Amino acid sequence: MTGQSSGESPIFGDDFRTIFSDLIAWRRDVRHFRTDPIPPEVIADCLALADLAPSVGNSQPWRWINVSQPDLRAKVKAAFTEANNAAAKIYDGDQAALYARLKLEGIDAAPVQFAVFCEESCPQGNGLGRQTMPEMLRYSTVCSIHTFWLAARARGIGMGWISIVDPAAITETFGVPSSWTLIGYLCVGYPAEDHIVPELERRHWQHRTPNEERFRKQAFK
Ligand SMILES: Cc1cc2nc3c(=O)[nH]c(=O)nc-3n(C[C@H](O)[C@H](O)[C@H](O)COP(=O)(O)O)c2cc1C
């Protein structure tokens, strides 16, 4: 599945690079899903790749919970609705109206859902690399999610990341150890449609901006 079976370093040619660029360009945050199921072995392949993500000290601090129970999904939806209603209040006028029209989750339709946590007291890695910046464990967990995102898209599967929830409510819902921090709630399924342009751009909420603004050619001093 991972292409590592021969043990030889693969050669990534121009054709692969073109396809890889397409994969990155066409990865989307998806909120509109078809409800058809995803074969479990396909999800297992994506998770196996997510588990190969880089992590500080090789700690692999990600903890993925497969959320299949309808009652737990309903609790997540309720947590989203509460947090989203609160978030909507920070906007006024046209922006408030636009925010109210955005679809920011796909919980009702997504056939596969995960709550992804970071184990903050993870012994694996023996503390390497996280003494001055303990948040590296969380960033490592993000790497795992992003690897899953790309692996899923390469199989025609979409993923939507939900952060509009009170993390305490989700931690409570799943009864996870207090040392686990919620990183994201993920909705996974076949997209109702494919787009190269992000949904928030298509809905006129936020466009991408030129990258010269982000990649500085020199330091400040
Ligand atoms: C850390 C993180 C949290 C996000 N949380 C949400 C969310 O709660 N709801 C949502 O609709 N999209 C969420 N998104 C998706 C972003 O809105 C999306 O990535 C961005 O608009 C760019 O679109 P694209 O991913 O399709 O390129 C999140 C993305 C990230 C990386």
Side-chain angles (χ1 to χ4, degrees), residues 155-202:
R155 289 158 177 76
I157 297 165
M159 189 198 97
W161 186 321
I162 300 175
S163 55
I164 307 169
V165 284
D166 175 0
I170 304 300
T171 303
E172 160 80 20
T173 295
F174 294 105
V176 301
S178 58
S179 57
W180 290 21
T181 300
L182 180 71
I183 303 300
Y185 188 84
L186 311 181
C187 291
V188 179
Y190 294 107
E193 45 191 26
D194 288 327
H195 292 278
I196 195 167
V197 177
E199 180 154 342
L200 291 189
E201 189 157 343
R202 285 183 283 116

Side-chain angles (χ1 to χ4, degrees), residues 23 27 38 40 42-53 64 66 112-114 116 141-155 157-160 186-189:
L23 174 63
R27 178 211 54 77
I38 303 172
V42 176
I43 292 295
D45 283 353
C46 295
L47 288 173
L49 290 168
D51 204 45
L52 297 179
W64 292 63
N66 191 329
V112 176
Q113 302 182 22
F114 294 102
V116 185
T141 304
V142 171
C143 290
S144 174
I145 294 174
H146 191 246
T147 303
F148 180 94
W149 213 335
L150 292 177
R153 185 63 186 85
R155 289 158 177 76
I157 297 165
M159 189 198 97
L186 311 181
C187 291
V188 179

